[in-house]
Amino acid sequence: MARCILVALSAVFVGSARAAWEDHDSTVRQYDLGPPMISNALQWVSTGCPEGIDYCGMLEFCEDTSDFPNVIFGYRHPCNDYDEEECECKAGPGPTIRLEPGNKYLLTMRNAAENAASVTNLHTHGLHIVGAGNSDDVTRHVNGGGNCLDYVWDITDDHPGGTYWYHAHHHGFTEPQVNGGAYGMLVVEDNKMINPDTPDWATNEILLMVARINGEIYGNGKQDEIIRMDANQWYRLRVGVVDVLAEPDWLTFGSGCEIHQVAADGIWRSKVPGPAKSKFFLTGSSRADFAIRCASSFHVLFGGAKAATVYVGAVHPDPFEMKEWVPKRPRSLQGIAEAVVPPENTFDVELTREGINNILWDPTTPLTTVSYGEVHEWTLTRSKTHPFHIHLYHVLIVQPGGCGEQHEEGEFYDSVSGNEYEECKVRFKASDVGQRCVLHCHVLNHEDNGAMGWVDVVGANMPRNDVVSPQYSCPVTPRWTPAPTGLAPAPTRRPIRSPGDTTTTASTDGKLVQDDENCSPMGEKAIECGAKSQDGRGETCCGGLICSGDRGRVCVENMEDAFSTATSSATSVTSMAQFGFAFTLSFGIAVSLIA
């Protein structure tokens, strides 16, 4: 492979209840998102922040040039120089960022690359926030050598809850940095102010981000990621796709499942759930949420290549009910389809390698001006080869019959890939925020070469962000100084399965075995641990635990957390039971679940 890096995806298996914001002494918010190797969640503090900021946090951009020209990029928590493992620069995903409507966040991004010429920035893909000042303005940048750049994200009280992502977006460097691992998952919690009747199954989450790197498909950084589900239970599967070539392709699920798309690019469908299907067309920057329940194990494929194996275990009573639901729209997405659009609010967008409407990127000159508070209709062409993405706003497909395989008439998206030489008409309302609104081809080397532009949103009564916030030299501690804090307790989650459940278990040699009355719980030695004797007796590991053959043959949750003695294992089980932790999938163990 041209790049000797494993750019992965952020997959997190959250058992049942959404990982709710937790306050501890009103100082720290923290999410518990899964086992240690992937619970890489950004922490927010609520004290020590500047006036007007509800929560602040810090993220580091890093670079590893030890295998030049194969360079690794990534995001991480601020590291201490004495902690070599903590400071290792790892290719994507960065810490998962979770936000709540109605709060204002300050994120300080520190560029920890040693070379001062290593320039980067950050884009929050899909968020409905201003594109100027100290917010989502991609013309800002921060140099390496320990410089910092502050971002303020004002998440309005009616911001849509949904699945988003963030990535590097400095013009000329976007493609190598994203391909090198500079991206992460971002989730805005479901907005209960808009939709207090959000269905309960929406909290039963699985997060999966699929990456296509140099033609190969990775799930969770592996070419066969493993996800666990209980049989015949409804889950919300949040899927994001990272592909610097932005090639639209099919996300395909195996047989034995009922699957409905319920959201696209962070926005609920107009009616939930959508029709049941087994495959869905997605662009290289799409996010899609699915309601899914399965009776048997299956593969998830993207472009025909395996991204994950979903391992379906025991049958439990399903606490969730699937009903038809019509979500309410936030103000920014209302009154668009029925609006009368005057000619001055129409605009044609042709995307090519050479730019937008044959105009190369110019950060000083907009393509046109857009009136604030009004509905606009744009006509897109060549969006299949050059998928269209717009910052700040979501667009409504108004083209009769929809656009291409993916984009349905009457639904909202932030990235559009239609048919190559057919028109695709979209509408959006320039509401809540304005100023610089960037649009570009999401083939990232095309964007870097100039297939990007911006429109200037102007008008009376438009809130403005004209804050000048340049980069500054900073240590690991940002210039806002957080007060000493303790960690918030992890939220209690519904157990995925109880010890002793009869369920299929993966053994270390890749064979499927069944738990029975002879199985061993965590930490206890097992006879033929992880495999059954010929007569069907013998002992295996209970409840989907894994046999650790190199640690005294004991049953554990995952190899990295293998216990060396039965005593320490039993203590861990007791502790987990006391705090209500769910059994979570052991990421990082490759097993073959389907022949």
Side-chain angles (χ1 to χ4, degrees):
M1 296 172 63
R3 298 183 185 279
C4 192
I5 55 176
L6 192 66
V7 181
L9 34 128
S10 168
V12 179
F13 188 22
V14 179
S16 162
R18 179 190 67 198
W21 287 102
E22 295 283 345
D23 282 334
H24 181 64
D25 295 332
S26 300
T27 55
V28 176
R29 283 187 166 184
Q30 183 192 29
Y31 282 92
D32 176 29
L33 297 174
M37 68 287 288
I38 57 165
S39 60
N40 193 22
L42 186 75
Q43 294 180 9
W44 298 103
V45 299
S46 60
T47 59
C49 302
E51 184 178 355
I53 299 296
D54 296 304
Y55 294 96
C56 41
M58 192 172 193
L59 184 71
E60 277 192 350
F61 172 85
C62 63
E63 175 186 79
D64 181 354
T65 60
S66 60
D67 190 30
F68 187 84
N70 302 309
V71 181
I72 292 174
F73 299 97
Y75 297 110
R76 67 190 182 200
H77 297 286
C79 77
N80 298 306
D81 291 338
Y82 59 81
D83 191 330
E84 186 173 327
E85 182 177 354
E86 184 184 60
C87 292
E88 181 182 357
C89 188
K90 299 176 182 178
T96 301
I97 297 176
R98 297 188 79 114
L99 310 172
E100 269 194 345
N103 287 319
K104 183 179 286 189
Y105 298 87
L106 168 62
L107 180 78
T108 296
M109 188 175 73
R110 182 173 185 268
N111 189 340
E114 294 182 3
N115 188 347
S118 181
V119 183
T120 192
N121 63 11
L122 190 73
H123 168 51
T124 50
H125 187 118
L127 286 193
H128 182 50
I129 58 177
V130 67
N134 59 359
S135 192
D136 191 30
D137 183 354
V138 297
T139 66
R140 303 170 71 213
H141 69 272
V142 57
N143 290 83
N147 290 297
C148 283
L149 191 64
D150 290 339
Y151 287 91
V152 173
W153 303 333
D154 191 357
I155 310 301
T156 59
D157 59 4
D158 73 337
H159 191 290
T163 306
Y164 306 94
W165 65 301
Y166 66 92
H167 60 86
H169 204 305
H170 182 62
H171 184 62
F173 296 88
T174 306
E175 188 273 340
Q177 291 183 358
V178 174
N179 200 47
Y183 67 88
M185 178 68 81
L186 189 155
V187 173
V188 177
E189 302 299 339
D190 288 329
N191 195 320
K192 295 300 182 69
M193 186 188 78
I194 300 174
N195 288 299
D197 58 342
T198 301
D200 290 341
W201 55 260
T203 66
N204 198 29
E205 292 182 327
I206 301 172
L207 274 63
L208 174 66
M209 204 172 213
V210 179
R212 175 154 43 198
I213 305 299
N214 299 317
E216 299 195 35
I217 302 300
Y218 296 91
N220 285 352
K222 311 174 191 69
Q223 290 186 294
D224 187 6
E225 173 60 306
I226 299 168
I227 295 172
R228 293 180 186 268
M229 297 172 60
D230 286 339
N232 300 323
Q233 185 168 124
W234 285 110
Y235 289 83
R236 178 186 189 168
L237 174 62
R238 298 182 186 260
V239 176
V241 179
V242 176
D243 179 9
V244 297
L245 298 179
E247 295 180 6
D249 223 323
W250 291 99
L251 182 75
T252 306
F253 298 87
S255 60
C257 295
E258 182 181 354
I259 309 163
H260 306 262
Q261 187 167 353
V262 296
D265 291 351
I267 305 297
W268 289 112
R269 286 177 54 89
S270 54
K271 184 181 292 185
V272 173
K277 299 180 182 180
S278 62
K279 64 178 185 177
F280 302 84
F281 206 61
L282 301 178
T283 72
S285 61
S286 293
R287 285 89 57 226
D289 291 19
F290 302 96
I292 178 172
R293 67 175 176 182
C294 301
S296 58
S297 300
F298 63 97
H299 295 310
V300 179
L301 309 178
F302 187 68
K306 184 164 53 177
T309 296
V310 178
Y311 172 41
V312 178
V315 177
H316 294 281
D318 190 351
F320 309 112
E321 184 179 4
M322 180 60 64
K323 295 181 179 179
E324 186 176 286
W325 177 53
V326 179
K328 296 181 178 64
R329 300 293 193 196
R331 294 184 298 268
S332 60
L333 302 181
Q334 294 177 8
I336 297 176
E338 61 271 28
V340 176
V341 179
E344 60 268 24
N345 284 4
T346 62
F347 186 58
D348 293 339
V349 178
E350 182 182 13
L351 299 129
T352 67
R353 293 177 61 96
E354 288 71 40
I356 296 179
N357 297 342
N358 292 317
I359 300 173
L360 289 173
W361 166 248
D362 181 351
T364 65
T365 306
L367 297 169
T368 187
T369 57
V370 166
S371 297
Y372 176 75
E374 299 181 12
V375 174
H376 299 263
E377 182 173 295
W378 290 3
T379 301
L380 313 179
T381 54
R382 302 201 65 188
S383 62
K384 183 175 183 179
T385 302
H386 307 280
F388 166 86
H389 172 55
I390 184 171
H391 296 194
L392 278 62
Y393 312 116
H394 281 77
V395 298
L396 176 70
I397 302 295
V398 295
Q399 183 71 32
C403 300
E405 295 281 357
Q406 175 184 356
H407 300 93
E408 299 178 54
E409 181 182 1
E411 304 297 343
F412 284 93
Y413 306 87
D414 61 44
S415 300
V416 177
S417 179
N419 293 322
E420 184 64 4
Y421 291 102
E422 296 180 6
E423 292 183 346
C424 177
K425 292 187 181 297
V426 302
R427 288 185 175 188
F428 65 92
K429 183 193 293 184
S431 64
D432 301 329
V433 295
Q435 297 175 260
R436 183 190 299 273
C437 175
V438 171
L439 54 143
H440 60 84
C441 169
H442 222 280
V443 178
L444 296 185
N445 65 344
H446 294 181
E447 173 200 318
D448 282 340
N449 288 328
M452 183 164 74
W454 63 287
V455 297
D456 192 11
V457 183
V458 298
N461 303 315
M462 182 183 75
R464 295 186 62 87
N465 183 336
D466 294 315
V467 175
V468 177
S469 180
Q471 62 176 310
Y472 56 96
S473 178
C474 66
V476 174
T477 302
R479 58 184 174 189
W480 54 265
T481 303
T485 63
L487 295 181
T492 299
R493 300 180 296 179
R494 176 187 58 81
I496 299 305
R497 55 177 62 81
S498 302
D501 286 341
T502 300
T503 181
T504 304
T505 303
S507 71
T508 53
D509 63 1
K511 297 178 181 177
L512 291 178
V513 295
Q514 293 289 328
D515 292 340
D516 62 10
E517 68 276 7
N518 297 309
C519 72
S520 295
M522 182 184 290
E524 294 190 10
K525 299 235 178 175
I527 301 170
E528 296 192 27
C529 171
K532 298 191 67 174
S533 57
Q534 188 173 1
D535 64 4
R537 298 188 62 80
E539 288 189 301
T540 73
C541 296
C542 296
L545 299 177
I546 296 154
C547 173
S548 174
D550 61 342
R551 287 291 193 88
R553 302 191 71 78
V554 295
C555 298
V556 297
E557 272 198 8
N558 57 68
M559 289 302 184
E560 291 192 8
D561 291 339
F563 296 93
S564 59
T565 67
T567 302
S568 61
S569 300
T571 301
S572 176
V573 172
T574 302
S575 175
M576 289 174 69
Q578 289 174 342
F579 289 98
F581 279 96
F583 171 82
T584 50
L585 171 64
S586 168
F587 293 83
I589 299 178
V591 296
S592 173
L593 295 174
I594 300 176

